[in-house]
Amino acid sequence: MTPLSKHLLLALAISGALNLLCAGLFVGSAIHRSRMRAERAQFEPGPRGGRFERRGGEGRRGAAPFGGILAAHRDELVQRRRAVVDARRAVERTLEQEPFDAAALDRSLTNLRNETTTSQELVHKTLAQAARDGDAQTRRKIAAGFAKLGPSGP
């Protein structure tokens, strides 16, 4: 083998390794993005007629937070979530409307805040009642649910 062919063979090997590295990073990034999308897809319209569905199951990453404690209130939570989504869409429409109406924006943002507060109050009330009525295991499930939600501040 000539020195030139050795250098070309070495360059080919390095190029192949770099291509494999880039392909691995690309595939890993795509897998990570799809998992993140699946985790964020909670309470988004499902494939059947626009129904809102919670994705994920027990024991898996993305499983329902709070150990299924909120499952008994699913219909009410779905209704509340739809109200929040509708209020967000109203804010969006108000912002896109020409001519801009600041008073309408204030009203739609107030409605969004009220819908969000009502939803949070339902969840908090349900979790507090479950913690009061439940045992140590139930309280651990609730705590784990808050841990799954991740940090909310700096």
Side-chain angles (χ1 to χ4, degrees):
M1 238 186 191
T2 65
L4 178 62
S5 62
K6 285 182 184 179
H7 289 295
L8 287 175
L9 189 59
L10 181 61
L12 179 64
I14 291 172
S15 174
L18 288 175
N19 282 326
L20 285 175
L21 175 68
C22 289
L25 290 173
F26 178 74
V27 169
S29 174
I31 291 170
H32 178 70
R33 276 193 312 271
S34 70
R35 286 183 180 166
M36 294 302 290
R37 238 181 268 123
E39 286 181 10
R40 284 190 303 242
Q42 297 177 16
F43 290 115
E44 288 185 358
R48 295 184 207 111
R51 287 190 60 216
F52 285 76
E53 299 176 352
R54 179 179 263 307
R55 305 227 169 56
E58 280 302 318
R60 292 187 301 197
R61 186 178 171 172
F66 310 116
I69 291 169
L70 299 174
H73 298 274
R74 181 186 184 285
D75 293 338
E76 191 175 1
L77 287 169
V78 167
Q79 180 183 8
R80 298 287 353 126
R81 181 64 181 153
R82 283 184 180 151
V84 170
V85 168
D86 291 343
R88 284 183 181 154
R89 288 185 181 139
V91 169
E92 181 182 358
R93 284 190 304 270
T94 303
L95 287 168
E96 292 174 345
Q97 185 177 11
E98 290 298 332
F100 176 69
D101 184 357
L105 177 62
D106 290 340
R107 285 190 304 273
S108 61
L109 286 171
T110 299
N111 184 46
L112 174 60
R113 183 174 48 251
N114 291 338
E115 293 296 344
T116 303
T117 300
T118 303
S119 296
Q120 286 180 334
E121 286 172 350
L122 172 63
V123 170
H124 294 175
K125 182 178 77 172
T126 303
L127 293 175
Q129 189 63 45
R132 281 191 288 277
D133 296 345
D135 56 3
Q137 170 102 13
T138 302
R139 289 187 296 279
R140 278 194 294 276
K141 283 182 181 180
I142 295 170
F146 281 105
K148 277 184 185 179
L149 297 176
S152 60

